[in-house]
Amino acid sequence: MSGDLAARQAELVAALVAGGPLPPGFAPAPVEAARRALLRKRAADVARHWPLLAAGLGAHWPATFTTWADGRPSNGSLRDGWDLARELRDRGTLPPLGAEELAARAAASRYDGHRPPRPRRMPAVARAGGAVAAQFAGRVRLLRPAPR
């Protein structure tokens, strides 16, 4: 009995946050409304960790983030923002403020997209969308802003 409940709960969570199919016995409209609300909450959490990225996208932030995040399980707000910024960079749609924030983060920490970011111990230079940031002695400086 408890195994069935746990399985049904796991199916519902997958439908809400990871793009899984709707489990039998649940009404589609309320589940969809909850799923959209969770995506909006997740977008707000990521915007708190990546304020320049969100500001750079302005009014397009909620739609950009929810489109990207829909069907992807969260890796946490910091990593979700980092992954989104990298994808926007690769598509050539990363706004200048987001490029500067991404360069600063990459100069300060190592992140391979799989494991959590780790602080860099050695000096580093990072580039993103024309922005260049350097980290030395634990301080990050933006050496060149992204072209506007």
Side-chain angles (χ1 to χ4, degrees):
M1 180 75 168
S2 66
D4 290 341
L5 178 59
R8 286 180 48 88
Q9 288 173 335
E11 289 174 355
L12 180 58
V13 168
L16 288 171
V17 299
L22 183 68
F26 288 92
V31 171
E32 179 62 18
R35 189 181 72 74
R36 300 305 271 163
L38 288 170
L39 280 170
R40 285 191 306 275
K41 180 181 184 302
R42 190 170 155 196
D45 289 342
V46 171
R48 279 190 283 283
H49 282 89
W50 288 83
L52 297 179
L53 175 60
L57 289 166
H60 299 288
W61 167 253
T64 300
F65 181 81
T66 57
T67 299
W68 175 84
D70 196 13
R72 295 175 196 244
S74 176
N75 285 317
S77 299
L78 177 64
R79 290 172 67 181
D80 283 351
W82 209 317
D83 293 338
L84 173 59
R86 284 179 168 178
E87 186 169 312
L88 293 174
R89 178 200 60 201
D90 294 347
R91 286 191 288 185
T93 58
L94 183 64
L97 285 174
E100 292 167 6
E101 190 168 34
L102 179 59
R105 297 275 175 138
S109 299
R110 295 178 191 275
Y111 177 55
D112 63 6
H114 303 289
R115 292 180 296 267
R118 296 181 329 238
R120 292 184 185 272
R121 294 188 180 145
M122 301 296 289
V125 174
R127 295 169 178 80
V132 178
Q135 181 270 130
F136 182 74
R139 293 187 174 259
V140 176
R141 300 275 191 245
L142 186 64
L143 301 178
R144 183 175 64 212
R148 303 274 194 271

